Amino acid sequence: MRVKWSLLIVLFILLVGLLLRLYMLHDKPISLDEDDSILFSSYAMQGTILHPPTVDAHPPLFYYLVGLLLLFDSLYFVRIVFALLGVLGIYLTYVLTKKIFSERLAIITIFLLSVAPMHIAYSQHLRHYIVMSLFFLLSTYLLYRYIFLRDTKISYFLPILYVFSFYFDVNVTVFYMLAHFVTVIYFSYGKKVTHLFRRYLYGLIAASLVCALWLPFLFKQVQYYLVEGRLANPTFDIFSLPYPFYKFAVMTDLSTTLTHFPYLLLLFPLLSFLMLRGCYKLYQESPDKSIFLFLNFFTQIFVVALLWPFFKIYS
């Protein structure tokens, strides 16, 4: 039985990605953010995380996950699990990129992702980031199958995925659900396939009703943030409008970049140009796939950019 070279290359890249994420993992110091994750996971396991609202405005599922993993009494074990989730994210990126572009480009993409310093750092970090990237990649892949392959069974799985994702992280889930919704509207009514929209809408309403159970606690958190947190005393600052585009491209705070990695400022226009050029090249070959990619990635960034001059949603 012949084994495709591409499969061997993908497995090799995944192995390299795993080794890079495991390298010196045991000696990695605990950051302040990770201290919060461990603290709130202890609240979750004690059943006290819901009261009172804390400065950490996230639903409890992530903390239950960390709390359950910590039952093994080994922080190193928890970090290994997160490193494996990072590798799973590399594989999902391969699957999605291969569907939208080509196998060759998918291999190049996951090689770059496997050695990307920020993805390695997030794969070792006990925060929501790597878990939420998995939710986004998996749900976007399912959405692709739903729209382009007319796989109607997906309409049952996506709402379940949305609910789990929401109870891990509200902010990220709301933004990518909005991007998915806009995408479905475009492909349903632009292509006159309205039954796709109806099935998706029913599932979205069902998911929203389950997510609405979190609203009372969410309102308490918003009230806290309006008084003491990041949303207190919002002011309009038009010059901060480009910041979300910078953050999504480079993934580090501007203050950190200026202090430690000033060369990353050059990456912002370069990576933005390559992304836009890639979308344009894809549009020439397959307009529908290009629009799917554009709507799912850029809708979120545009919405954050519109909110950013008023509310600094992320750091």
Side-chain angles (χ1 to χ4, degrees), residues 90-106:
I90 296 173
Y91 177 72
L92 287 176
T93 301
Y94 167 77
V95 173
L96 185 58
T97 308
K98 182 181 176 182
K99 282 289 184 184
I100 297 178
F101 292 96
S102 65
E103 185 172 51
R104 177 173 171 271
L105 190 59

Side-chain angles (χ1 to χ4, degrees), residues 21 50 95 111 125 137 213 230:
R21 283 151 183 78
L50 298 184
V95 173
F111 169 72
H125 201 53
L137 288 167
L213 298 174
R230 196 175 292 157

Side-chain angles (χ1 to χ4, degrees), residues 142 146 151-161 199-200 203:
L142 292 178
Y146 181 67
D151 188 348
T152 54
K153 296 189 297 294
I154 298 297
S155 62
Y156 301 111
F157 294 111
L158 263 178
I160 298 173
L161 201 59
R199 292 180 69 98
Y200 180 84

Side-chain angles (χ1 to χ4, degrees), residues 166-184:
F166 181 90
Y167 280 100
F168 268 85
D169 190 305
V170 172
N171 295 337
V172 175
T173 305
V174 168
F175 282 121
Y176 83 70
M177 281 177 64
L178 175 62
H180 284 186
F181 183 64
V182 171
T183 303
V184 172

Side-chain angles (χ1 to χ4, degrees), residues 62-304:
F62 174 78
Y63 300 117
Y64 283 123
L65 170 64
V66 175
L68 289 172
L69 293 174
L70 284 173
L71 291 178
F72 290 90
D73 201 26
S74 170
L75 184 60
Y76 182 53
F77 171 75
V78 183
R79 291 196 189 280
I80 289 176
V81 172
F82 274 68
L84 291 172
L85 293 178
V87 175
L88 178 59
I90 296 173
Y91 177 72
L92 287 176
T93 301
Y94 167 77
V95 173
L96 185 58
T97 308
K98 182 181 176 182
K99 282 289 184 184
I100 297 178
F101 292 96
S102 65
E103 185 172 51
R104 177 173 171 271
L105 190 59
I107 290 175
I108 295 173
T109 300
I110 64 168
F111 169 72
L112 294 175
L113 187 61
S114 70
V115 299
M118 288 307 297
H119 195 274
I120 293 173
Y122 283 158
S123 300
Q124 299 175 331
H125 201 53
L126 304 186
R127 293 297 286 170
H128 302 72
Y129 314 128
I130 205 67
V131 178
M132 296 312 300
S133 71
L134 295 181
F135 276 119
F136 171 68
L137 288 167
L138 181 57
S139 60
T140 303
Y141 171 70
L142 292 178
L143 187 71
Y144 177 91
R145 292 185 59 87
Y146 181 67
I147 291 174
F148 288 93
L149 304 182
R150 301 291 192 265
D151 188 348
T152 54
K153 296 189 297 294
I154 298 297
S155 62
Y156 301 111
F157 294 111
L158 263 178
I160 298 173
L161 201 59
Y162 286 157
V163 170
F164 275 96
S165 178
F166 181 90
Y167 280 100
F168 268 85
D169 190 305
V170 172
N171 295 337
V172 175
T173 305
V174 168
F175 282 121
Y176 83 70
M177 281 177 64
L178 175 62
H180 284 186
F181 183 64
V182 171
T183 303
V184 172
I185 289 177
Y186 172 83
F187 282 99
S188 297
Y189 287 91
K191 304 298 179 182
K192 302 188 185 304
V193 194
T194 54
H195 70 278
L196 283 178
F197 178 74
R198 286 197 302 271
R199 292 180 69 98
Y200 180 84
L201 182 62
Y202 296 152
L204 186 63
I205 292 173
S208 300
L209 290 175
V210 179
C211 293
L213 298 174
W214 183 252
L215 287 180
F217 188 71
L218 182 62
F219 286 147
K220 292 180 181 178
Q221 290 179 320
V222 170
Q223 289 172 350
Y224 172 88
Y225 266 63
L226 287 173
V227 175
E228 301 183 37
R230 196 175 292 157
L231 302 183
N233 303 316
T235 56
F236 180 76
D237 180 12
I238 189 63
F239 296 104
S240 65
L241 191 62
Y243 186 75
F245 296 94
Y246 157 81
K247 188 68 182 286
F248 275 83
V250 181
M251 299 174 67
T252 62
D253 296 338
L254 184 59
S255 58
T256 303
T257 299
L258 293 174
T259 305
H260 301 288
F261 315 107
Y263 60 88
L264 289 180
L265 289 176
L266 298 175
L267 284 180
F268 170 43
L270 177 61
L271 293 176
S272 300
F273 169 76
L274 290 175
M275 177 68 177
L276 292 172
R277 184 177 185 276
C279 287
Y280 175 71
K281 293 287 289 185
L282 180 62
Y283 183 80
Q284 291 179 315
E285 298 176 9
S286 175
D288 285 347
K289 288 184 178 181
S290 174
I291 293 171
F292 176 86
L293 181 70
F294 188 88
L295 290 176
N296 277 287
F297 283 89
F298 281 96
T299 299
Q300 304 176 67
I301 303 176
F302 284 139
V303 172
V304 173

